[in-house]
Amino acid sequence: MALGERGGWDKSESRYCGVETDFNDDMPHLLSFNLSSGGFDFVVASLGDLGKHSHNLMDPNYRPSLMEKDIGGGSHVLPFAGSDLVLSPSQWSSHVVGKISSWIDLDSEDEILRTDSETTLKQEISWASHLSLQACLLPSPKGASCANYARCVNQILQSLNNMQLWLRIPLVKNDDDTTDFIPSGDSWELWNSFRLLCEHHSQLSVALDVLSSLPSANSLGRWLGEPVRAAIIHTDSFLTNARGYPCLSRRHQKLITGFLNHSIQVVISGKLNHGVPSVSLDSALDHTGTNVESSQRHSLRPYLDYIAYLYQRMDPLPEQERFELSYRDFLQSPLQGHNPLFHIISDEFCTIEFSNYYLSFQPLMDNLEAQTYETFEKDSVKYIQYQRAIGNALVDRVPDEEASSLTTVLMVVGAGRGPLVRASLQAAEETGRKLKIYAVEKNPNAVVTLHSLVRLEGWEKTVTIVSCDMRCWDAPEKADILVSELLGSFGDNELSPECLDGAQRFLKQDGISIPSSYTSFIQPVTASKLHNDVIPCLCAQVSPLEAISFSSKCALALQVKSHKDVVHFETAYVVKVHSVARLAPCEPVFTFTHPNFSTKKSNQRYKKLRFEIPSDTGSAMVHGFAGYFDAMLYKDVHLGIEPSTATPNMFSCCASSSVCFVESYFDTGLQIPAWFAIFFPLRTPVCIRPGSPLEVHFWRCCGSTKVWYEWCVASPNPSPVHNSNGRSYWVGL
Amino acid sequence: MALGERGGWDKSESRYCGVETDFNDDMPHLLSFNLSSGGFDFVVASLGDLGKHSHNLMDPNYRPSLMEKDIGGGSHVLPFAGSDLVLSPSQWSSHVVGKISSWIDLDSEDEILRTDSETTLKQEISWASHLSLQACLLPSPKGASCANYARCVNQILQSLNNMQLWLRIPLVKNDDDTTDFIPSGDSWELWNSFRLLCEHHSQLSVALDVLSSLPSANSLGRWLGEPVRAAIIHTDSFLTNARGYPCLSRRHQKLITGFLNHSIQVVISGKLNHGVPSVSLDSALDHTGTNVESSQRHSLRPYLDYIAYLYQRMDPLPEQERFELSYRDFLQSPLQGHNPLFHIISDEFCTIEFSNYYLSFQPLMDNLEAQTYETFEKDSVKYIQYQRAIGNALVDRVPDEEASSLTTVLMVVGAGRGPLVRASLQAAEETGRKLKIYAVEKNPNAVVTLHSLVRLEGWEKTVTIVSCDMRCWDAPEKADILVSELLGSFGDNELSPECLDGAQRFLKQDGISIPSSYTSFIQPVTASKLHNDVIPCLCAQVSPLEAISFSSKCALALQVKSHKDVVHFETAYVVKVHSVARLAPCEPVFTFTHPNFSTKKSNQRYKKLRFEIPSDTGSAMVHGFAGYFDAMLYKDVHLGIEPSTATPNMFSCCASSSVCFVESYFDTGLQIPAWFAIFFPLRTPVCIRPGSPLEVHFWRCCGSTKVWYEWCVASPNPSPVHNSNGRSYWVGL
């Protein structure tokens, strides 16, 4: 029945709360008890229960005696006698997560136990798969070594249907072993080994066992970039409040709301540990508003109620953030033929509104559509900043005493449907300066709208519309101020430097460019979803379900997938990053300043960057780099999405400079500016450890017909140089 | 004119010796002086020389002033005025290696120097490429950081013609930094970073500067698995012998003969440092037999003469080894439909004699051809071992006193054209035992030959020929001894366990199987050639030249190449390993014992292995694992190719158990048994460091229709599990 309502817009899976159940051979009763009277949404139940009519699987402690038979080769699945009929198919798939027998130990020194474990694992998953369960919970590896377990799971994953496998991992990190390479004290290392052995398979994910003590915030932060599907909270981890009810410590609360905000489902496990006074049951339920139908109250209900309380207490998302929910962590490919795969991708993208792709668009090679202008113009904060910058520039350029005599020539290059023209006029009005505006726009369709806007607003005397590419325009006079909005998520990635180099021909020597400079930034991130989406890029964006079945049903899916891997992994994507772990603060990459009348100028750039991860993080996986920009529009008026300095509320964001860049996640998840970032993937994710800095090199390369980036990791282990010669991804001049 | 003759069979490039020259603007004279009178085969000359009519490239110290011009984007190649005419095209390509200006420093902090360097590098390589030079020598990176240099070289490699780029690397390793991860003292680290950044490009190779002091033998050994094309020996590194002539230390001699044996060309560099007495010039030349045509003697001639002396002093290769020269380091794909790419590969293989592929063949699914039997039967040592084993088994089974009364029933399963039948009969004659032989063979064509052999030799009374698959044969009586030769290079990889499981039905409970057991072995190797050949597998085996042009001419070659990468990297290859570095001693993997009447037996196997590299090796790259087998035929009579215990002279090899497994290479290169090994590649090579053991897992998996291996690295960094479910490579049952 879900944790509650958050205005109806939260469609994420974290609305649903599960319960881990003991062995019980009456599945219909188990379900009705936990769901109808318990209020849970699903049960995590032993697969011993599921095969209730199969004598072999009745007891979860059962170990197959198959070793006595001639097992030949593959695993034998025992015949099940119609026990799938005890529940309806939709009950199985919606309300049951299968729990694999916890005694299995595929890395035991005991060969018979190992073989028994493998047989049982394969049988139970095969049975769960037959029941179309959505997920199975795999027991945690028993020791530090998990290669045989991973090998077996990897085999299973090669031919699995849509089912997810949740590997149970205790949330443990002993801080005293940060310099030790052996993953003794950090369960993340165990997960990391397992998933590397299984090649980042998209159906392998994590169920974290949340214990009563928690590792450091930075260490917890890593998990937000990992494919965590469930957080299993044992009743032992709850405290007792003054009224005798279970509650969580502040750090636990923060963690759980962080999880809920990242589509991670909560599962309650264990026994009633709190002497909840039965008289006050009704009042305890006040904050959830749910009804108790049954007199036989579920003993874990107080814990569920507490989680529901946390869920409902979370801050509502602002409107723009809600609008963007569906874009969270979805890769958007750069368009405009930068990428040889452009046409394929755009075909597949049909389910997502077309206009929104053009957030990463630039005006050089193609024309935008009306809807796209709509999206751009929505960003009122941006135009307020422009208005402030233009106003300040006007005041600096024209002293008060000359305000009525001097007319400033302002050119808007890339005027679109006129938002910067409007901002300029408003700035002139505000500052009492006289303005002559040239609105240069190459898209003839936008020019139509621009003309009608000018007529409508009566700007004919002030505004001259020029229907021309700024690179070819022969201006009749030189400008005092050149205003443009050509920046991409990574600043210069939409050729603003090249465009403005072309346009500054008609800027006076002492003229002002708005923006006057911009800088790109990157930071290393754990982003397993983005990494996985890069691979089956063509499919994953249509429907995650289709993509999974596509990749798993082909025997040689890997070959199919790898075909275009290099191109996909050498492409930068525009993405609203959400489920990522930011492993270190941003570092600046490239800076451009305008105007630049130097004769030796080049728009090529090269930057070497070093990132240190905090020592209490532990090791972490870098799947790539999140990229941002910050622009100085004029003097101190800036605009940007670099998280520590992002313009507040720009594009509806609510950024704040947070001291602890990871912990901030757990507050509300809304610390990150909402203008989409850019993501530079790494072909092979790199594992970094505290004390071994990550050394990264970025190049901006310019050819005669295109501009592109190359990037590589030089340390701790060198990667290939990505996108050599712009072979995979470029922007056409 | 080459270093001399070694019986005419040595066609390797190491016959040719080069000389590094100073700057000289008269190329025809430079060539005639060094080749005709100097006796060298090629010159390594500044590209400053080459563009002699181009004012910009005259002086190798020239730095372009292009920064003053508008350089736009790409590198501008200046017009060269026909200076390629000073030599004929074949002179350019056969006798000149271009030397890139040594001042270039692409990783300088000085941006102008960096940009100048990039421009010069691209210009000079473009010019060398226009001249169709075979190779260019790139100066050594100036510091520990080489990312920008590598990025630029990588860009060049993407569109280079067939030319090789030799990166100059000093042969240096300070032994005091073995625990330090920073590549301060080990030049191998520098090379390793560079080639990782360039993605193991097949046209990027190494020219080692051999200095007067040498690193440890294990450290030197690493280079044999790397693509070293040239060893540049400075005259300073030579000692002076009693007669005043240059000579090398014993360790240097060993190194140079090791190089010569691995197709690494020697280049002499520097000035005459030895006061060679001019009177004894003629006697000094005695050992080379070359003539001095010119009175103007080349000052470096004594050094060349010494190298020629070392070359000619090398032990001649035995006949079989010479026969196998063309197989060195060529991957041979397993056939028999084990691999989905089978038919493609076999089509491409047409230039290599067909029969030799079948060295890795097994009798289960296909029939061998006559030529293949010929190859097998050539291996007389093998049959001598079989004869000894059968003889010992006969004596153990039948006491002397019953020799004339008891008849031993011996079955040869997989009799082929009869070599084991002959060996059995000879063993019986030698030991005076009576024998009844069933020769079971499923190939009806071999059976024809077998019948004629039996008639010809008059064996009709002793030998019964059974034209039947051993798995189906209904034997009329049970055997005392079961003899087979079903082993592959990796022991059980041709299904010997499964075949013998089937055949032991007709073996008596106390009967003997020959072989009685066999074990596979692996060791980690550096094998850059094998690694590179796995990728463009379909081409590289036809002609290395074709493969190179194929891969470099396509703009998106990487995509094309990666298409089948996974399948290729998950396949084991039969290969005569030669240019590999064996990084640690072999470890045993799987053992099978026959007969095995246990009811619980399974032919599945799982083995975890740990390898430690010697601490003085330094870090090294593991491209995969070389695999071998050793079989106990009967009691102490064994047969095998595991290097430390290999059967002497088996298949013409001359193995010896060497204490230092790497150093042995430098002696004559003939320490390795000649029966081909197996190579298990790693999809991504793994870098290992002393003190961090390499943990490897191998599985032998059995399904209902096939048998396959899976393998992975678990430590220091986990790799994916290779060949999951045998998706890429298997053997059909």
Side-chain angles (χ1 to χ4, degrees):
Chain A
M1 92 191 128
L3 294 172
E5 293 293 320
R6 289 179 73 195
W9 49 263
D10 186 359
K11 300 283 180 247
S12 95
E13 296 193 338
S14 54
R15 281 178 302 158
Y16 303 113
C17 188
V19 60
E20 182 175 9
T21 64
D22 287 336
F23 172 67
N24 185 314
D25 64 1
D26 186 348
M27 180 56 75
H29 174 257
L30 191 75
L31 213 57
S32 88
F33 173 69
N34 285 290
L35 270 53
S36 309
S37 63
F40 289 98
D41 299 297
F42 62 94
V43 299
V44 181
S46 276
L47 285 179
D49 310 20
L50 307 182
K52 67 170 286 199
H53 297 292
S54 160
H55 57 288
N56 275 329
L57 291 182
M58 279 294 285
D59 178 356
N61 296 314
Y62 164 79
R63 276 182 47 180
S65 54
L66 293 183
M67 288 301 282
E68 289 157 26
K69 303 179 192 172
D70 177 13
I71 60 166
S75 69
H76 288 225
V77 176
L78 297 174
F80 293 97
S83 54
D84 54 33
L85 297 175
V86 300
L87 294 183
S88 72
S90 75
Q91 281 180 308
W92 283 122
S93 68
S94 307
H95 301 305
V96 180
V97 166
K99 193 166 84 175
I100 303 299
S101 294
S102 56
W103 60 264
I104 65 167
D105 182 3
L106 282 90
D107 291 276
S108 166
E109 295 294 320
D110 173 354
E111 188 185 340
I112 296 178
L113 173 55
R114 225 165 51 214
T115 316
D116 271 8
S117 299
E118 180 167 347
T119 307
T120 300
L121 175 62
K122 287 185 170 168
Q123 272 182 356
E124 294 186 356
I125 287 186
S126 163
W127 177 235
S129 172
H130 169 74
L131 297 172
S132 297
L133 301 195
Q134 284 191 28
C136 270
L137 180 66
L138 304 177
S140 193
K142 297 283 183 286
S145 181
C146 62
N148 194 45
Y149 191 3
R151 190 262 319 160
C152 184
V153 168
N154 192 44
Q155 283 187 344
I156 291 166
L157 286 165
Q158 304 306 309
S159 54
L160 196 61
N161 61 4
N162 294 335
M163 193 165 73
Q164 286 279 327
L165 301 183
W166 295 353
L167 183 67
R168 191 165 192 159
I169 299 282
L171 191 52
V172 173
K173 178 176 178 293
N174 298 325
D175 284 334
D176 46 23
D177 67 335
T178 45
T179 57
D180 189 354
F181 279 17
I182 292 138
S184 54
D186 184 359
S187 61
W188 180 88
E189 299 274 4
L190 194 58
W191 156 247
N192 190 44
S193 292
F194 206 100
R195 69 91 173 270
L196 285 172
L197 291 163
C198 293
E199 253 179 288
H200 284 79
H201 199 287
S202 60
Q203 284 169 271
L204 178 68
S205 45
V206 178
L208 284 175
D209 259 320
V210 179
L211 309 177
S212 52
S213 80
L214 293 179
S216 73
N218 282 324
S219 157
L220 290 175
R222 293 177 296 176
W223 290 103
L224 292 184
E226 301 288 357
V228 180
R229 293 281 172 276
I232 304 171
I233 311 176
H234 201 274
T235 52
D236 291 345
S237 306
F238 283 81
L239 307 173
T240 308
N241 72 8
R243 294 166 63 206
Y245 286 99
C247 65
L248 288 170
S249 73
R250 284 200 62 82
R251 293 198 65 215
H252 276 84
Q253 289 176 39
K254 230 176 177 179
L255 179 69
I256 299 305
T257 48
F259 285 159
L260 292 173
N261 191 40
H262 284 82
S263 304
I264 297 169
Q265 297 181 310
V266 170
V267 174
I268 304 291
S269 173
K271 300 211 179 305
L272 177 66
N273 267 347
H274 298 75
V276 181
S278 55
V279 280
S280 60
L281 261 183
D282 289 339
S283 60
L285 287 177
D286 283 351
H287 52 66
T288 68
T290 50
N291 296 318
V292 187
E293 306 163 17
S294 143
S295 56
Q296 185 202 6
R297 188 165 166 78
H298 194 291
S299 65
L300 299 183
R301 184 63 182 254
Y303 303 95
L304 170 63
D305 292 343
Y306 184 78
I307 299 297
Y309 158 74
L310 288 183
Y311 179 79
Q312 291 166 44
R313 203 191 53 174
M314 285 165 68
D315 290 333
L317 287 181
E319 189 200 337
Q320 180 68 29
E321 188 78 7
R322 292 211 298 273
F323 166 73
E324 290 167 3
L325 267 181
S326 56
Y327 294 102
R328 279 184 176 174
D329 302 314
F330 272 100
L331 298 176
Q332 301 181 26
S333 287
L335 299 184
Q336 207 205 3
H338 315 171
N339 186 302
L341 299 169
F342 163 45
H343 293 294
I344 306 167
I345 289 174
S346 66
D347 284 354
E348 302 277 352
F349 266 140
C350 49
T351 51
I352 302 183
E353 290 154 64
F354 200 54
S355 67
N356 286 285
Y357 282 129
Y358 290 83
L359 292 174
S360 71
F361 215 41
Q362 50 101 341
L364 220 48
M365 283 173 64
D366 285 295
N367 292 326
L368 302 179
E369 300 190 350
Q371 261 204 308
T372 313
Y373 287 114
E374 199 74 36
T375 308
F376 280 132
E377 294 165 16
K378 248 185 174 168
D379 188 4
S380 57
V381 175
K382 181 168 84 176
Y383 295 111
I384 290 166
Q385 291 296 88
Y386 266 99
Q387 187 177 326
R388 284 182 54 205
I390 296 166
N392 292 355
L394 284 173
V395 169
D396 280 1
R397 197 138 184 106
V398 181
D400 284 342
E401 51 278 19
E402 298 184 79
S404 57
S405 57
L406 258 183
T407 298
T408 302
V409 178
L410 183 147
M411 293 177 180
V412 178
V413 288
R417 304 195 307 185
L420 285 178
V421 173
R422 184 184 299 276
S424 303
L425 288 167
Q426 282 169 352
E429 197 178 317
E430 213 172 66
T431 58
R433 266 48 179 184
K434 293 179 70 179
L435 214 52
K436 178 174 182 188
I437 297 183
Y438 291 91
V440 185
E441 173 55 49
K442 76 170 175 58
N443 180 354
N445 307 308
V447 166
V448 171
T449 313
L450 205 49
H451 272 292
S452 98
L453 176 77
V454 167
R455 261 197 315 278
L456 199 72
E457 300 279 0
W459 294 340
E460 289 94 340
K461 288 195 182 139
T462 322
V463 178
T464 308
I465 295 169
V466 181
S467 181
C468 185
D469 187 322
M470 71 179 91
R471 292 173 297 177
C472 321
W473 184 42
D474 189 15
E477 61 181 317
K478 291 212 167 182
D480 296 286
I481 301 175
L482 196 64
V483 183
S484 63
E485 50 169 336
L486 304 165
L487 298 179
S489 300
F490 197 55
D492 59 84
N493 62 312
E494 294 180 357
L495 301 192
S496 177
E498 284 73 16
C499 291
L500 293 182
D501 283 352
Q504 73 181 22
R505 287 180 293 118
F506 39 84
L507 181 64
K508 290 179 184 166
Q509 277 291 326
D510 66 343
I512 294 165
S513 169
I514 294 177
S516 61
S517 75
Y518 35 88
T519 300
S520 48
F521 294 83
I522 60 163
Q523 68 182 164
V525 293
T526 302
S528 67
K529 179 180 184 306
L530 302 187
H531 176 80
N532 264 328
D533 284 359
V534 169
I535 305 178
C537 184
L538 304 184
C539 323
Q541 304 217 359
V542 185
S543 143
L545 283 179
E546 273 179 48
I548 287 162
S549 65
F550 165 78
S551 72
S552 63
K553 275 180 187 158
C554 315
L556 290 174
L558 230 84
Q559 280 178 266
V560 177
K561 272 164 50 177
S562 71
H563 182 37
K564 282 166 182 158
D565 270 8
V566 171
V567 169
H568 285 123
F569 277 106
E570 295 188 341
T571 297
Y573 299 87
V574 171
V575 58
K576 178 165 173 51
V577 289
H578 180 69
S579 287
V580 302
R582 294 154 203 265
L583 300 169
C586 284
E587 294 286 338
V589 189
F590 307 131
T591 296
F592 289 86
T593 302
H594 297 285
N596 177 2
F597 292 109
S598 153
T599 55
K600 288 191 183 177
K601 68 165 183 282
S602 157
N603 291 326
Q604 308 216 47
R605 292 289 186 279
Y606 168 43
K607 187 66 181 277
K608 189 197 295 193
L609 303 123
R610 278 167 76 93
F611 298 95
E612 287 266 10
I613 58 172
S615 62
D616 64 343
T617 302
S619 299
M621 190 56 95
V622 179
H623 291 101
F625 304 93
Y628 317 94
F629 80 93
D630 189 76
M632 295 313 296
L633 293 182
Y634 182 68
K635 289 187 174 164
D636 61 339
V637 183
H638 84 110
L639 189 74
I641 59 171
E642 194 279 301
S644 68
T645 60
T647 321
N649 291 312
M650 185 169 67
F651 228 60
S652 89
C653 76
C654 41
S656 72
S657 151
S658 54
V659 177
C660 170
F661 55 92
V662 168
E663 185 83 317
S664 65
Y665 255 124
F666 289 108
D667 292 333
T668 61
L670 302 178
Q671 301 301 309
I672 307 306
W675 202 353
F676 295 0
I678 202 162
F679 175 64
F680 289 93
L682 284 172
R683 284 162 53 180
T684 303
V686 171
C687 187
I688 53 171
R689 308 179 191 284
S692 291
L694 178 69
E695 184 182 311
V696 182
H697 297 247
F698 262 76
W699 292 268
R700 187 182 198 265
C701 304
C702 305
S704 54
T705 60
K706 65 183 187 179
V707 172
W708 69 96
Y709 302 105
E710 301 190 15
W711 61 97
C712 74
V713 169
S715 182
N717 293 303
S719 73
V721 176
H722 286 55
N723 195 33
S724 184
N725 287 318
R727 65 184 164 204
S728 300
Y729 158 64
W730 69 90
V731 188
L733 281 169
Chain B
M1 94 189 130
L3 293 172
E5 292 293 319
R6 289 180 72 195
W9 51 262
D10 185 357
K11 302 280 180 248
S12 95
E13 297 194 337
S14 54
R15 278 178 304 157
Y16 303 113
C17 187
V19 60
E20 182 175 9
T21 63
D22 287 335
F23 171 68
N24 184 315
D25 65 1
D26 184 348
M27 181 54 76
H29 174 257
L30 191 76
L31 213 58
S32 89
F33 173 69
N34 285 289
L35 269 53
S36 308
S37 63
F40 290 98
D41 299 296
F42 62 93
V43 299
V44 181
S46 276
L47 286 180
D49 311 18
L50 307 184
K52 66 170 287 200
H53 298 291
S54 159
H55 58 288
N56 276 328
L57 290 182
M58 278 295 284
D59 178 356
N61 296 315
Y62 164 79
R63 276 180 49 180
S65 54
L66 293 183
M67 288 301 282
E68 289 157 28
K69 303 178 193 172
D70 178 11
I71 60 166
S75 68
H76 288 224
V77 176
L78 297 175
F80 293 98
S83 56
D84 54 31
L85 297 175
V86 301
L87 295 183
S88 71
S90 76
Q91 281 180 310
W92 283 123
S93 69
S94 305
H95 300 305
V96 180
V97 166
K99 194 166 84 177
I100 303 298
S101 293
S102 56
W103 60 264
I104 65 167
D105 182 2
L106 283 90
D107 291 277
S108 166
E109 294 294 320
D110 174 354
E111 188 185 339
I112 296 178
L113 172 55
R114 225 164 53 213
T115 317
D116 272 7
S117 300
E118 179 166 347
T119 308
T120 300
L121 176 62
K122 286 185 171 167
Q123 272 182 355
E124 293 186 355
I125 287 185
S126 162
W127 177 235
S129 172
H130 169 72
L131 297 172
S132 297
L133 303 193
Q134 283 192 30
C136 270
L137 180 65
L138 305 177
S140 192
K142 298 281 182 288
S145 182
C146 63
N148 194 46
Y149 191 4
R151 189 263 317 159
C152 184
V153 168
N154 192 44
Q155 284 186 342
I156 292 166
L157 285 166
Q158 305 305 309
S159 53
L160 196 60
N161 62 3
N162 292 336
M163 194 166 71
Q164 286 279 328
L165 300 183
W166 296 353
L167 183 68
R168 191 166 190 158
I169 299 282
L171 190 52
V172 173
K173 179 176 177 293
N174 298 325
D175 285 335
D176 46 24
D177 67 335
T178 46
T179 55
D180 188 355
F181 279 16
I182 293 138
S184 54
D186 185 358
S187 62
W188 180 89
E189 299 274 4
L190 193 59
W191 156 247
N192 189 46
S193 293
F194 206 100
R195 69 92 174 273
L196 285 172
L197 290 163
C198 293
E199 254 180 287
H200 284 80
H201 199 287
S202 60
Q203 285 170 269
L204 178 69
S205 46
V206 178
L208 283 175
D209 259 319
V210 178
L211 308 176
S212 52
S213 80
L214 292 179
S216 72
N218 281 326
S219 157
L220 291 174
R222 292 177 296 176
W223 291 103
L224 292 184
E226 301 289 356
V228 180
R229 294 281 172 274
I232 304 171
I233 311 176
H234 201 275
T235 52
D236 291 344
S237 305
F238 283 81
L239 307 174
T240 308
N241 73 8
R243 295 166 63 206
Y245 286 98
C247 65
L248 289 169
S249 74
R250 284 200 64 82
R251 292 198 65 216
H252 276 84
Q253 290 177 39
K254 230 176 178 179
L255 179 69
I256 300 304
T257 48
F259 284 160
L260 293 173
N261 191 41
H262 284 81
S263 304
I264 296 169
Q265 296 182 310
V266 170
V267 174
I268 303 292
S269 171
K271 301 208 178 306
L272 177 66
N273 266 348
H274 297 76
V276 180
S278 55
V279 280
S280 61
L281 265 183
D282 289 341
S283 60
L285 289 176
D286 284 351
H287 51 67
T288 67
T290 50
N291 297 318
V292 187
E293 306 161 17
S294 142
S295 55
Q296 186 203 7
R297 190 166 166 77
H298 194 292
S299 66
L300 299 182
R301 183 61 182 255
Y303 303 95
L304 169 64
D305 291 343
Y306 184 78
I307 300 298
Y309 158 72
L310 289 183
Y311 177 79
Q312 291 167 43
R313 204 190 56 175
M314 286 165 68
D315 291 333
L317 288 181
E319 187 199 337
Q320 180 68 31
E321 188 76 8
R322 292 209 298 273
F323 166 74
E324 289 167 4
L325 267 182
S326 56
Y327 295 101
R328 280 184 176 174
D329 301 313
F330 272 100
L331 298 175
Q332 301 181 24
S333 285
L335 298 185
Q336 207 204 4
H338 314 172
N339 186 301
L341 299 169
F342 162 45
H343 293 293
I344 306 168
I345 290 173
S346 65
D347 284 352
E348 302 277 352
F349 264 140
C350 48
T351 52
I352 302 183
E353 289 154 64
F354 200 54
S355 65
N356 285 285
Y357 284 126
Y358 289 83
L359 291 174
S360 71
F361 215 40
Q362 51 100 341
L364 219 48
M365 284 175 59
D366 285 295
N367 291 325
L368 302 179
E369 301 192 350
Q371 262 203 308
T372 313
Y373 287 115
E374 199 73 38
T375 307
F376 280 132
E377 293 165 16
K378 247 184 173 170
D379 189 5
S380 56
V381 175
K382 180 168 85 176
Y383 294 111
I384 290 167
Q385 292 296 89
Y386 265 99
Q387 188 176 326
R388 284 181 53 204
I390 296 165
N392 291 355
L394 284 173
V395 169
D396 280 1
R397 196 138 185 106
V398 181
D400 284 342
E401 51 277 21
E402 297 183 79
S404 57
S405 56
L406 256 181
T407 297
T408 302
V409 178
L410 183 148
M411 295 177 179
V412 178
V413 288
R417 304 194 307 186
L420 286 178
V421 172
R422 184 186 298 276
S424 303
L425 287 168
Q426 282 169 353
E429 198 179 314
E430 213 171 65
T431 57
R433 264 51 177 182
K434 294 178 69 178
L435 214 52
K436 179 175 183 188
I437 297 182
Y438 291 91
V440 185
E441 174 54 50
K442 77 171 174 58
N443 179 353
N445 306 307
V447 166
V448 171
T449 314
L450 205 48
H451 271 294
S452 99
L453 177 76
V454 166
R455 260 199 314 279
L456 199 73
E457 300 279 1
W459 295 340
E460 289 93 339
K461 289 195 181 141
T462 322
V463 178
T464 308
I465 295 169
V466 181
S467 181
C468 185
D469 186 324
M470 71 179 91
R471 293 172 296 178
C472 321
W473 183 42
D474 189 15
E477 61 181 316
K478 292 214 166 182
D480 295 288
I481 301 176
L482 195 64
V483 183
S484 64
E485 48 169 338
L486 304 165
L487 298 179
S489 300
F490 198 55
D492 59 84
N493 63 311
E494 294 181 358
L495 301 192
S496 178
E498 285 72 15
C499 291
L500 294 182
D501 283 352
Q504 75 180 20
R505 288 179 292 119
F506 39 83
L507 181 65
K508 290 180 184 166
Q509 278 291 327
D510 66 345
I512 294 165
S513 168
I514 294 177
S516 61
S517 75
Y518 35 88
T519 299
S520 48
F521 294 83
I522 60 163
Q523 67 183 167
V525 292
T526 301
S528 67
K529 179 181 185 305
L530 302 187
H531 175 79
N532 264 327
D533 284 357
V534 168
I535 305 177
C537 185
L538 304 184
C539 323
Q541 305 218 359
V542 185
S543 142
L545 284 180
E546 273 179 48
I548 288 163
S549 66
F550 165 78
S551 71
S552 62
K553 277 180 187 160
C554 315
L556 289 174
L558 230 85
Q559 280 179 266
V560 177
K561 274 163 50 177
S562 71
H563 181 37
K564 281 167 181 156
D565 270 9
V566 171
V567 168
H568 285 123
F569 277 106
E570 295 189 340
T571 297
Y573 299 87
V574 171
V575 57
K576 177 163 174 52
V577 289
H578 181 67
S579 287
V580 302
R582 294 154 203 265
L583 299 169
C586 285
E587 294 286 337
V589 189
F590 306 131
T591 296
F592 289 86
T593 303
H594 298 284
N596 176 2
F597 291 109
S598 153
T599 55
K600 290 192 185 177
K601 69 165 180 283
S602 157
N603 291 327
Q604 310 216 45
R605 292 288 186 280
Y606 169 42
K607 187 65 181 280
K608 186 196 301 193
L609 303 122
R610 278 168 76 92
F611 298 95
E612 287 266 12
I613 58 171
S615 62
D616 64 344
T617 302
S619 299
M621 191 57 96
V622 179
H623 291 101
F625 304 93
Y628 316 95
F629 80 95
D630 190 75
M632 296 310 299
L633 293 183
Y634 182 69
K635 291 186 173 165
D636 61 341
V637 183
H638 85 112
L639 192 72
I641 58 170
E642 193 279 300
S644 69
T645 60
T647 321
N649 292 312
M650 185 169 67
F651 227 61
S652 90
C653 76
C654 41
S656 72
S657 150
S658 55
V659 178
C660 169
F661 56 93
V662 168
E663 186 82 318
S664 65
Y665 253 126
F666 288 109
D667 292 335
T668 62
L670 302 178
Q671 302 299 312
I672 307 307
W675 202 352
F676 295 0
I678 202 162
F679 175 64
F680 288 93
L682 284 173
R683 284 163 53 180
T684 303
V686 172
C687 187
I688 53 171
R689 307 181 190 283
S692 291
L694 178 70
E695 185 183 310
V696 181
H697 296 247
F698 262 77
W699 292 267
R700 187 182 198 267
C701 304
C702 304
S704 53
T705 60
K706 65 182 188 180
V707 172
W708 69 96
Y709 302 104
E710 300 189 15
W711 61 97
C712 73
V713 169
S715 183
N717 294 301
S719 74
V721 176
H722 287 54
N723 196 32
S724 184
N725 286 318
R727 64 185 165 202
S728 300
Y729 158 63
W730 70 91
V731 188
L733 280 169

